[in-house]
Amino acid sequence: MNAIIYARVSTKKEEQVTSLERQRENLVCWAEELGMPVVEIVEEQHSGFDLNRPGLGRLLQAIRKHRIKYLFIQDDTRLGRGEAKLAVIHQLCKLGCKIYSFQQKKELELEAGESTVLHIIAKVEELQRKMMNQKISWGMQRAVKEKGYNPAKNLKNQGNGGREKIEVPIDQIVALREKELTYDEIVATLKGFGYSISRATVHRRYTEYILTQEAKLKQEWEESR
């Protein structure tokens, strides 16, 4: 049950530095009392309204890397102020990290309004994932059924044990464009077949392909004169 400590103050004034030290000492002792070894301590002097904090970045990175499940803080305002605080707490919840508040002497308990906001955010993200999955399904159905696209014939690198494909399948992009699929539908269709490619990449590579083909045709025409 490894834990991590996050201590923050807003300025570099002397009294703030003293507060930072006090936060660290209190949290280390509390974690030891609970039998949770602290693997890292992150301290920083930065405004809580700003999400672009180096210490916050290190905190989230360490939690992901070491799969830390417990975070110790002085109080919820150390994570941030206003909307920034809720954004940080939401990310920590997604990482499965429990937050312990020294001020409350227990796992962090938010106000009813804040809990409601976080619940709404989580619900919206869940609905967005469902909509994306449905979009992928629609794209695949249109490509396979309505437009006659055959993934078994066109997609390469089959049988790789589910290994993520990082190359850009230009042949498949061209084939789908010829079937009159939109760029968004192409992105959704290829994602369903294991390719994680953005709309901008699809558009750029298709444009490059068209320009290349036009250049070849122009060269062939000039050579034939």
Side-chain angles (χ1 to χ4, degrees):
M1 298 193 299
N2 291 340
I4 188 169
I5 286 174
Y6 179 70
R8 183 190 66 80
V9 292
S10 299
T11 69
K12 296 184 179 180
K13 295 181 180 179
E14 184 176 350
E15 60 270 23
Q16 291 281 283
V17 175
T18 302
S19 173
L20 198 62
E21 295 174 352
R22 184 170 61 253
Q23 288 180 49
R24 180 180 65 248
E25 293 173 358
N26 290 339
L27 295 173
V28 168
C29 291
W30 189 31
E32 290 178 352
E33 290 176 6
L34 296 178
M36 297 183 185
V38 176
V39 298
E40 189 168 346
I41 298 175
V42 179
E43 301 177 5
E44 68 178 337
Q45 297 166 291
H46 206 104
S47 171
F49 289 102
D50 188 2
L51 283 173
N52 186 22
R53 292 177 250 154
L56 178 60
R58 292 198 306 273
L59 173 71
L60 296 175
Q61 183 179 20
I63 291 173
R64 293 190 188 97
K65 181 179 179 180
H66 303 295
R67 298 181 180 179
I68 298 171
K69 297 300 181 183
Y70 300 95
L71 167 65
F72 285 82
I73 56 174
Q74 182 72 22
D75 58 75
D76 60 349
T77 63
R78 299 307 92 201
L79 294 175
R81 296 282 187 174
E83 295 176 353
K85 179 183 72 174
L86 294 180
V88 173
I89 293 175
H90 179 60
Q91 288 301 313
L92 292 168
C93 290
K94 290 175 66 175
L95 292 172
C97 184
K98 294 183 178 181
I99 308 168
Y100 280 78
S101 166
F102 183 78
Q103 183 184 65
Q104 297 179 357
K105 285 293 184 177
K106 61 180 181 179
E107 187 173 347
L108 179 64
E109 183 175 324
L110 296 173
E111 296 179 359
E114 293 175 331
S115 296
T116 300
V117 171
L118 288 175
H119 176 74
I120 292 173
I121 293 173
K123 197 64 179 179
V124 169
E125 287 192 347
E126 179 185 350
L127 292 174
Q128 287 178 330
R129 287 193 296 271
K130 289 182 178 179
M131 290 181 66
M132 178 56 69
N133 290 336
Q134 186 61 62
K135 187 175 181 181
I136 291 172
S137 177
W138 287 335
M140 291 173 65
Q141 289 177 18
R142 186 174 180 216
V144 176
K145 296 180 180 179
E146 299 179 19
K147 298 297 182 178
Y149 182 67
N150 187 345
K153 178 180 179 181
N154 290 283
L155 289 177
K156 300 178 181 179
N157 297 327
Q158 300 296 312
N160 287 332
R163 179 172 57 86
E164 182 180 358
K165 306 174 180 65
I166 59 174
E167 74 277 8
V168 176
I170 185 61
D171 293 342
Q172 287 71 49
I173 291 174
V174 173
L176 291 170
R177 280 299 289 167
E178 290 176 351
K179 299 295 182 181
E180 300 182 354
L181 267 71
T182 65
Y183 290 115
D184 287 332
E185 289 174 330
I186 292 174
V187 169
T189 300
L190 294 180
K191 184 175 180 180
F193 291 119
Y195 292 91
S196 181
I197 305 173
S198 69
R199 183 186 188 281
T201 299
V202 169
H203 181 272
R204 182 175 65 256
R205 292 303 178 89
Y206 181 73
T207 301
E208 291 172 353
Y209 170 82
I210 295 299
L211 292 175
T212 300
Q213 294 303 308
E214 290 178 350
K216 287 182 179 179
L217 290 174
K218 181 178 180 181
Q219 182 178 359
E220 290 175 358
W221 181 79
E222 291 178 346
E223 291 177 349
S224 65
R225 294 178 61 184

